[in-house]
Amino acid sequence: MSLLINKQHEQLFVRHRRNPILAASDWPYPVNSVFNAGATRLPDGTTLLLCRVEDRRGHSHFCVARSEDGYSGWRIDPQPTLMPDPQNHPEELWGIEDPRITFVPELNKYVITYTSFSAGGPGVSLALTEDFRHFERYGVVMPPEDKDAALLPRRIGGHWALIHRPVTTWERMGHMWISYSPDLRHWGSHKLILRARRGAWWDAYKIGLSPPPIETPEGWLVIYHGVRQTASGCLYRLGLALFDLQTPERCLLRGDDWIFGPEEPYERHGDVPNVVFPCGYTIGDDGDTINLYYGAADSCIALATGKVSALLDWLKRRGRPENSELR
Ligand code: BMA
């Protein structure tokens, strides 16, 4: 299939030669699949992935994998790191999915936002940790149907800010929203920040934040996924947008083209074909190299590397101010 790809588009992300870097066959206990991992770099430089692991019931939990170089020599927790807790959190009855990690200097803690799944539908839950061993759950922060949430690492005008993706029964569309909170528990001042387009667009009808926003001097750089519905299922691809640093609900630029999509066999084939779904990234010592960790075909974890400066440069050349009237 990759032989048919036109390589003349700018390649903003290059796939790692050892892809996929993690799969079910690497796991120390029985699992079905390993995908959609949150990512962070620990103070000692270790890359930590909080992997979504699906068991043979179809329910997901999280398991930590650590690596010195971010692509090999993974040390995987011998047991699940964070299991759903339906006794105390009924919203987790069918599992916990798609974690995003934000290190928050003010708290000196990592804030994890994830999808909690139960009969009520998928909602957004939040938990805090210092060490990825003990977790303090705050429960549901955005009720169903809502997903694809990440916290900004610092307060904006005194309030915490969460980007998330509710789905409306009105038109069955999924747009990106931002909400604010004084305490990470009570959320309000909700604002729509990026709309799914319509019709033939690659990001028509449903979009969502992929990894947490990347703070740059020019704004919050957002990698988001667009879901194209086709006769043979959904196609998950990635695009770029830039938001104002002080007023993150203000979209400054949005690209028209997708920048990364399923091409390789491990992205094209799996439990859910044609999916690339990043939930985390790390930034290299040069402050510019970005390692993007993505779930491929809901079956394994892959890595693609790029430069934040090149993503910004592309957006400045190819993006335009968001004008939802024209879509
Ligand atoms: C989305 C999420 C992801 C998943 C993707 C493709 O809705 O639930 O966890 O990777 O669908 O199945």
Side-chain angles (χ1 to χ4, degrees):
M1 197 63 198
S2 54
L3 289 177
L4 304 178
I5 301 285
N6 180 313
K7 300 276 185 192
Q8 298 188 55
H9 301 282
E10 279 178 70
Q11 303 291 308
L12 294 178
F13 280 105
V14 177
R15 290 168 175 81
H16 200 276
R17 63 182 193 286
R18 300 202 15 196
N19 273 353
I21 55 163
L22 279 168
S25 50
D26 298 311
W27 240 246
Y29 55 90
V31 304
N32 170 57
S33 51
V34 183
F35 53 118
N36 303 359
T40 193
R41 266 185 106 196
L42 301 176
D44 67 1
T46 304
T47 296
L48 180 145
L49 297 186
L50 188 62
C51 307
R52 172 178 171 188
V53 178
E54 192 187 272
D55 63 26
R56 278 210 179 179
R57 296 173 304 164
H59 297 193
S60 293
H61 62 267
F62 300 152
C63 187
V64 164
R66 294 177 172 83
S67 158
E68 302 316 315
D69 58 17
Y71 64 88
S72 66
W74 294 97
R75 288 171 283 120
I76 302 169
D77 281 0
Q79 302 291 331
T81 310
L82 186 67
M83 285 294 283
D85 179 14
Q87 296 297 327
N88 299 305
H89 290 275
E91 70 275 8
E92 298 183 0
L93 182 66
W94 295 339
I96 53 178
E97 305 178 351
D98 303 352
R100 273 79 166 185
I101 302 171
T102 302
F103 179 70
V104 179
E106 182 187 324
L107 306 173
N108 200 28
K109 287 181 182 164
Y110 299 90
V111 172
I112 298 159
T113 44
Y114 57 96
T115 304
S116 45
F117 193 22
S118 72
V124 175
S125 287
L126 185 149
L128 270 60
T129 187
E130 280 174 74
D131 54 10
F132 290 92
R133 294 187 199 289
H134 307 96
F135 296 84
E136 185 189 355
R137 280 174 163 90
Y138 277 30
V140 177
V141 290
M142 292 293 156
E145 182 174 344
D146 208 324
K147 281 184 173 188
D148 299 328
L151 187 77
L152 298 191
R154 55 183 172 78
R155 296 176 194 255
I156 306 289
H159 285 82
W160 301 110
L162 185 83
I163 296 179
H164 57 107
R165 199 286 306 276
V167 169
T168 57
T169 46
W170 160 251
E171 297 184 310
R172 277 308 290 172
M173 285 180 80
H175 309 298
M176 285 166 57
W177 287 68
I178 196 165
S179 302
Y180 295 92
S181 168
D183 57 6
L184 295 176
R185 291 185 186 275
H186 304 91
W187 295 89
S189 301
H190 313 286
K191 293 185 179 72
L192 191 150
I193 61 167
L194 198 70
R195 291 168 59 112
R197 287 179 266 213
R198 295 159 173 270
W201 282 95
W202 69 273
D203 55 355
Y205 304 111
K206 217 183 237 188
I207 59 171
L209 181 70
S210 277
I214 304 157
E215 187 166 8
T216 78
E218 322 216 15
W220 299 100
L221 176 61
V222 161
I223 302 174
Y224 71 95
H225 57 265
V227 188
R228 171 82 184 269
Q229 324 263 356
T230 79
S232 59
C234 291
L235 268 166
Y236 280 73
R237 302 182 178 117
L238 307 177
L240 296 179
L242 188 69
F243 294 84
D244 187 79
L245 270 189
Q246 307 311 328
T247 319
E249 63 248 32
R250 237 184 91 215
C251 181
L252 304 173
L253 290 171
R254 178 186 197 169
D256 278 349
D257 290 0
W258 76 81
I259 57 146
F260 193 81
E263 294 177 8
E264 295 298 325
Y266 54 88
E267 299 160 352
R268 289 282 190 190
H269 307 288
D271 279 359
V272 182
N274 298 314
V275 178
V276 291
F277 201 93
C279 290
Y281 64 85
T282 60
I283 301 288
D285 292 334
D286 61 1
D288 193 29
T289 302
I290 173 168
N291 276 350
L292 188 68
Y293 293 93
Y294 62 100
D298 282 13
S299 294
C300 56
I301 297 173
L303 167 62
T305 300
K307 298 277 182 201
V308 174
S309 52
L311 302 177
L312 285 171
D313 176 64
W314 181 90
L315 254 182
K316 278 188 242 161
R317 282 184 288 115
R318 306 286 307 270
R320 29 189 190 122
E322 176 71 337
N323 182 349
S324 48
E325 300 309 309
L326 297 177
R327 305 293 180 200

